Amino acid sequence: MNNNENKSNNPDLDRPVRVYADGIYDLFHFGHARSLEQAKKSFPNTYLLVGCCNDEITHKYKGKTVMTEAERYESLRHCKWVDEVIPDAPWVINQEFLDKHKIDFVAHDSLPYADASGAGKDVYEFVKAAGKFKETKRTEGISTSDIIMRIVKDYNQYVMRNLDRGYSRKELGVSYVKEKRLRVNMRLKKLHEKVKEHQEKVGEKIQTVAMHRDEWVENADRWVAGFLEMFEEGFHKMGTAIRDRIQERLRGQQSGDSTYLLQNCKSDEDEEYYYDEEEYYYDDDDYDDDEEYYDDDGYYDEKDEKNGKEKKAEKEKK
């Protein structure tokens, strides 16, 4: 008995190990694909069989599906880890099913799933007890129930989405009044989103201004200082140019005055001046013929000299 169990738990590695995984696989997503990848990589050489329950069994024990059984089967066939799809898979696995498909191991996550008895027994209790169970890890954050919850949560948005894409309200099961109410609400929501977006942009600009205020003030101070420096330099150059122009004009006026004086002096030189240590003479045609003489002993003129000479001549005659 034990030898048979060991033989079944340690299959011949010369052939592919047949691993079975089952599920509903509604709205097939990457969480499903990752679990099948783990099952495929359980052994170096694995042949992966995937069983999928039909609509009747699924709706009875789990609930309504979004995709039909045919759509779910086809989704599995397009997964690269799957070697064979088994339609109409049983809800509870038994030894007969394992023998029929020559299954060596059953792969699934370790969470317990209720069987069809309603007693709360785990559907994989049989294979776990037989040592043929291979545990796979679930992918957190993604599941069919999560996807359906997102759709239900934003139901009105998805209704409007399909209405905008050409579906009629009858196809969507929506009344005339509800359709109009949804359209009005969606317009109001879009308007609210635009206002919010505008407010966020204004807030970002205010924040940007606040962040760069010190930098702008520093730049403004630097620009003002640079402008004043340039203005001062230009004002200094302008003042220097004005001063040089004034000095140049003053020198021109002084040069003109000097020329005028020299010309006057030259005209005065046409009149004769005689300088002597004891006396000077001045010739002018406007003076009388009588000449005046000045010396250290006194003052006399030509008439006195003539009278003197006459008196002297008379004395000699006597």
Side-chain angles (χ1 to χ4, degrees), residues 144-157:
T144 301
S145 298
D146 291 337
I147 295 173
I148 294 174
M149 183 187 66
R150 297 175 197 174
I151 297 172
V152 172
K153 181 180 178 181
D154 298 322
Y155 166 76
N156 290 339
Q157 293 186 30

Side-chain angles (χ1 to χ4, degrees), residues 25-41:
Y25 302 107
D26 191 22
L27 299 176
F28 190 83
H29 51 76
F30 68 90
H32 294 140
R34 284 184 177 178
S35 66
L36 297 175
E37 179 184 6
Q38 294 176 55
K40 179 69 174 178
K41 294 180 179 179

Side-chain angles (χ1 to χ4, degrees), residues 15-20 47 49 84 101-105:
R15 63 171 178 81
V17 179
R18 296 174 68 85
V19 177
Y20 174 78
Y47 185 84
L49 301 93
E84 181 181 343
H101 296 282
K102 298 179 181 180
I103 296 171
D104 297 313
F105 292 92

Side-chain angles (χ1 to χ4, degrees), residues 63-313:
K64 182 174 176 58
T65 59
V66 177
M67 301 172 67
T68 64
E69 58 184 43
E71 292 170 339
R72 293 185 283 116
Y73 299 157
E74 192 65 20
S75 296
L76 287 169
R77 292 190 182 99
H78 286 79
C79 179
K80 71 175 184 177
W81 309 113
V82 178
D83 296 306
E84 181 181 343
V85 175
I86 300 177
D88 302 319
W91 189 258
V92 180
I93 301 172
N94 54 29
Q95 187 64 46
E96 181 183 358
F97 182 81
L98 297 179
D99 293 339
K100 178 181 177 181
H101 296 282
K102 298 179 181 180
I103 296 171
D104 297 313
F105 292 92
V106 176
H108 205 276
D109 61 77
S110 60
L111 294 177
Y113 287 83
D115 61 10
S117 64
K121 294 182 180 181
D122 187 5
V123 294
Y124 299 105
E125 182 178 357
F126 166 70
V127 291
K128 287 179 180 178
K132 293 185 176 183
F133 185 78
K134 284 289 184 180
E135 180 183 352
T136 58
K137 301 295 182 182
R138 293 177 64 89
T139 301
E140 297 295 331
I142 184 67
S143 69
T144 301
S145 298
D146 291 337
I147 295 173
I148 294 174
M149 183 187 66
R150 297 175 197 174
I151 297 172
V152 172
K153 181 180 178 181
D154 298 322
Y155 166 76
N156 290 339
Q157 293 186 30
Y158 287 110
V159 170
M160 284 302 306
R161 174 182 181 273
N162 283 357
L163 286 173
D164 291 340
R165 281 163 174 74
Y167 289 89
S168 67
R169 61 179 181 83
K170 291 183 179 181
E171 289 176 317
L172 297 172
V174 177
S175 66
Y176 175 81
V177 176
K178 185 174 179 63
E179 178 191 2
K180 297 303 179 184
R181 186 170 66 249
L182 286 174
R183 291 189 182 279
V184 171
N185 291 338
M186 289 304 296
R187 290 192 186 99
L188 291 174
K189 185 175 181 180
K190 289 180 179 179
L191 179 62
H192 177 72
E193 289 176 353
K194 288 183 179 179
V195 171
K196 185 177 180 180
E197 182 181 358
H198 181 69
Q199 290 176 342
E200 290 177 353
K201 289 181 179 179
V202 172
E204 290 176 358
K205 290 181 179 179
I206 293 174
Q207 186 177 4
T208 302
V209 170
M211 290 175 59
H212 294 86
R213 182 179 62 83
D214 295 337
E215 181 180 352
W216 290 347
V217 170
E218 182 180 353
N219 290 336
D221 292 341
R222 187 168 64 252
W223 294 337
V224 170
F227 171 76
L228 292 176
E229 183 178 354
M230 292 174 62
F231 178 79
E232 182 179 1
E233 182 180 356
F235 183 78
H236 177 72
K237 290 180 178 180
M238 183 176 66
T240 302
I242 292 172
R243 186 185 61 201
D244 293 343
R245 178 65 66 85
I246 292 172
Q247 290 178 353
E248 183 179 353
R249 289 194 176 185
L250 290 174
R251 284 195 297 269
Q253 290 179 0
Q254 291 175 358
S255 175
D257 292 343
S258 300
T259 304
Y260 176 76
L261 291 174
L262 289 174
Q263 289 176 353
N264 289 341
C265 291
K266 185 175 181 182
S267 62
D268 292 342
E269 285 178 357
D270 293 339
E271 298 181 355
E272 295 181 358
Y273 288 85
Y274 303 91
Y275 295 90
D276 191 80
E277 292 181 358
E278 295 182 354
E279 59 183 1
Y280 72 91
Y281 306 93
Y282 178 80
D283 295 335
D284 197 340
D285 297 337
D286 293 335
Y287 276 74
D288 296 335
D289 293 336
D290 296 336
E291 296 181 357
E292 295 181 348
Y293 299 89
Y294 299 85
D295 58 12
D296 294 336
D297 294 335
Y299 163 81
Y300 63 94
D301 56 12
E302 290 182 352
K303 287 183 179 181
D304 293 338
E305 184 179 3
K306 185 177 181 181
N307 292 333
K309 287 181 179 182
E310 289 178 353
K311 288 180 181 181
K312 186 177 181 182

